[in-house]
Amino acid sequence: MKTHHLLIPKNIILPISILGFIFTVIGTLLKLSHWSFGIFTPNLVLSMSIVFSLLSIFVVLLDIIKNPIKNKFLWIIPLLFVGNIVSMIYLINRESHIRRALR
């Protein structure tokens, strides 16, 4: 079976996914405590987190659909509900899942 490469290389999309998660946590804490630091308002931080998170979720979703991964359904459903964490886990373990599917 043929495997496909990621739309964006792993060494770029994994840090984007991690930044999306970090910005989500920081933006939520800023929003709950009503703090802002100059131009870094909670809305700006949360907007950046949404962009980073959606980018990583989109790339991982396309990769899961295009590659021969076992139990695709068990990856896609959590990706839709807890996207950023699942995308980080998938990107870290991507090669082993593809190798396992090719056996």
Side-chain angles (χ1 to χ4, degrees):
M1 276 190 168
K2 182 180 177 186
T3 61
H4 298 276
H5 295 288
L6 281 166
L7 189 62
I8 300 173
K10 181 180 174 181
N11 61 349
I12 295 173
I13 197 65
L14 185 59
I16 288 174
S17 181
I18 293 170
L19 279 175
F21 180 73
I22 290 171
F23 283 173
T24 301
V25 171
I26 291 172
T28 304
L29 290 174
L30 289 175
K31 191 82 163 171
L32 288 173
S33 61
H34 301 289
W35 288 354
S36 67
F37 299 101
I39 63 167
F40 293 107
T41 62
N43 291 337
L44 176 68
V45 176
L46 286 173
S47 297
M48 290 176 10
S49 76
I50 289 171
V51 169
F52 289 159
S53 297
L54 286 178
L55 178 66
S56 66
I57 290 169
F58 179 70
V59 168
V60 168
L61 184 63
L62 283 178
D63 191 63
I64 290 172
I65 291 170
K66 288 182 353 182
N67 282 317
I69 304 292
K70 290 184 178 180
N71 300 324
K72 288 184 182 193
F73 183 73
L74 294 177
W75 278 106
I76 292 173
I77 296 301
L79 188 65
L80 297 176
F81 290 105
V82 197
N84 214 2
I85 296 171
V86 174
S87 69
M88 287 187 290
I89 293 169
Y90 177 80
L91 287 169
I92 291 169
N93 298 318
R94 178 181 182 269
E95 287 80 20
S96 66
H97 290 294
I98 290 177
R99 270 195 312 262
R100 194 175 313 138
L102 292 176
R103 282 191 228 164

